[in-house]
Amino acid sequence: MVKPQSDPMIHKNQLLGAFEPDARSRITAHMQPVSHKLGEVICEAGGALDHAYFPEGCVLSLLTILENGSEIECANIGREGAFGVFAAMYSRVSFTRCAVQLEGPMIRCEIGYLQDEFSKSPHLQNLLVSYSETLLSQVMQTVACNALHSVEERMCRWLLMMHDRAEGENLTYTHEFLARIMGANRTSITLAAQSLQNQGLISYRRGLMQVRDRAGLEAASCECYAVVRARFDAFLSPPATATQENKSGRGPPRGRA
């Protein structure tokens, strides 16, 4: 559903905020606030990318779809990024299904306007390539996490990522939804949620989850949450910063910034 352009949160997206002022002003003039419900599909795998979507408070899930119809999340996008920027650079087709994972405000613009800015701005070219590389790193980390870490560790990682983006403490997810999004069976999800609740890290009932112990949840998570979070915190930094850190021998920061 498209709303009139009057959203006061229109500059809260971090990627959009990193555009050069003139380019951001021109793109913003063509933005439309949109509203979608939990689970609603923004674009199907193989679908045409007609718009770029910039979350302002919602989270979008990128889902790989298999031949039998099953799906698993390979990445998610919050206010730090956008869905559809690949279309501004090259491909106009989505390789994944994109669905709403956390309800909240979001804005979009037609791809043509973003393509125009991309074609004439070296700054925007570098920015979108940097973001695309960082999003790809999340995909690769998620693949490793799904293959090597326990369902409980993966659930901690996923809940932390949602908690970072949520406005409050409540997360409205059922066990069925988590099983589908994480590529796990319902029994494994139930046992993991019970374990986290018994440890006092979360509480849940009737599709409502609440984070009770944020620090404890971070300690119970695998390293994948901290790795992905640090990469997204750093992707807007100048390359020289990363070079200096590499020379000093320091690795990426862990945990929340």
Side-chain angles (χ1 to χ4, degrees):
M1 179 180 70
V2 179
K3 297 178 180 178
Q5 187 176 342
S6 60
D7 195 331
M9 300 177 71
I10 200 163
H11 295 298
K12 287 189 68 174
N13 181 275
Q14 294 171 7
L15 181 61
L16 182 59
F19 283 24
E20 290 175 308
D22 289 346
R24 183 171 63 248
S25 178
R26 288 189 294 267
I27 288 292
T28 299
H30 300 288
M31 289 289 186
Q32 296 175 310
V34 292
S35 177
H36 294 277
K37 297 296 184 182
L38 177 66
E40 189 173 345
V41 174
I42 302 297
C43 184
E44 282 288 0
L49 290 166
D50 298 320
H51 294 83
Y53 293 83
F54 296 81
E56 299 275 353
C58 74
V59 178
L60 300 177
S61 178
L62 302 185
L63 302 158
T64 297
I65 312 301
L66 302 183
E67 193 174 63
N68 63 3
S70 59
E71 60 185 13
I72 186 170
E73 182 179 272
C74 56
N76 53 59
I77 301 170
R79 61 171 60 92
E80 77 289 338
F83 171 68
V85 295
F86 290 126
M89 298 184 289
Y90 178 69
S91 176
R92 290 294 297 266
V93 175
S94 176
F95 299 114
T96 60
R97 174 182 292 165
C98 178
V100 176
Q101 191 183 86
L102 182 70
E103 291 184 29
M106 179 168 59
I107 52 179
R108 73 177 189 183
C109 73
E110 293 183 16
I111 286 295
Y113 298 115
L114 195 58
Q115 286 177 323
D116 289 343
E117 296 298 331
F118 182 82
S119 66
K120 60 190 178 186
S121 170
H123 175 270
L124 188 57
Q125 291 164 13
N126 290 334
L127 180 66
L128 295 189
V129 168
S130 175
Y131 171 70
S132 299
E133 289 178 337
T134 307
L135 184 63
L136 177 60
S137 77
Q138 183 190 165
V139 173
M140 293 188 290
Q141 196 74 35
T142 301
V143 169
C145 187
N146 288 341
L148 300 175
H149 294 147
S150 69
V151 172
E152 185 171 324
E153 289 174 321
R154 290 164 55 199
M155 180 179 287
C156 290
R157 169 183 62 83
W158 194 87
L159 290 174
L160 286 166
M161 295 177 78
M162 294 306 101
H163 189 244
D164 284 345
R165 277 82 168 254
E167 297 296 329
E169 301 299 314
N170 295 332
L171 302 172
T172 54
Y173 298 114
T174 64
H175 289 186
E176 290 87 353
F177 181 88
L178 290 175
R180 179 167 58 86
I181 214 83
M182 294 175 59
N185 61 58
R186 164 68 188 273
T187 300
S188 298
I189 293 295
T190 298
L191 291 174
Q194 288 175 345
S195 175
L196 296 179
Q197 181 163 256
N198 291 340
Q199 296 173 62
L201 305 182
I202 66 169
S203 63
Y204 70 88
R205 63 183 180 87
R206 297 182 181 178
L208 180 66
M209 289 191 169
Q210 197 170 48
V211 174
R212 294 294 189 185
D213 181 355
R214 167 79 196 202
L217 202 61
E218 289 190 24
S221 174
C222 54
E223 73 268 22
C224 297
Y225 166 73
V227 169
V228 172
R229 175 65 188 263
R231 288 172 182 166
F232 274 99
D233 284 345
F235 93 89
L236 294 177
S237 299
T241 302
T243 302
Q244 292 169 4
E245 288 178 353
N246 289 338
K247 288 181 178 179
S248 69
R250 296 195 301 271
R254 298 178 62 84
R256 295 186 68 175

